[in-house]
Structure formats: C-alpha cells, structure tokens
Amino acid sequence: MTFTISKESLPFRADKSISQITLSNERLTIVVHDYGARVHQLLTPDKNGTFLS
C-alpha cells in the first residue's frame, strides 16, 4: 500500500499562516490543519470505489 503526504501553507491572519496536511492512500484521504489539530476532511470511496468531494 502506497502512502502520500503533502503539506500546504494557508493564510490565517496578516501575520500568520496555518499548515494543511493531507495523508492519502488508495482507500482513504484525511486532511488536517495544524491550528488546533483539526480534521478538515475525511474522504473514503463509495460502493463503486469513487472518491466524492
């Protein structure tokens, strides 16, 4: 099973940004923010194997 990790900087305030981290594999994608360690998105495939956003 292959995992991918990506990190993106998002604007938060004029003097601060937050990080959005995306972790994915063939079956699951989770997106979290480092501001309060919040889960932003959790994506799983439907019964046909298609990821919907």
Side-chain angles (χ1 to χ4, degrees):
M1 187 174 291
T2 305
F3 292 95
T4 60
I5 301 171
S6 63
K7 184 176 180 181
E8 180 180 353
S9 182
L10 302 175
F12 181 63
R13 294 189 309 229
D15 63 335
K16 183 164 175 66
S17 64
I18 61 174
S19 295
Q20 175 173 289
I21 299 110
T22 303
L23 309 160
S24 354
N25 64 20
E26 295 87 16
R27 299 183 51 147
L28 183 69
T29 299
I30 187 167
V31 180
V32 295
H33 293 159
D34 68 349
Y35 182 72
R38 296 191 176 169
V39 173
H40 178 69
Q41 289 181 308
L42 180 62
L43 305 171
T44 60
D46 64 10
K47 66 180 180 179
N48 299 316
T50 305
F51 282 90
L52 303 174
S53 55

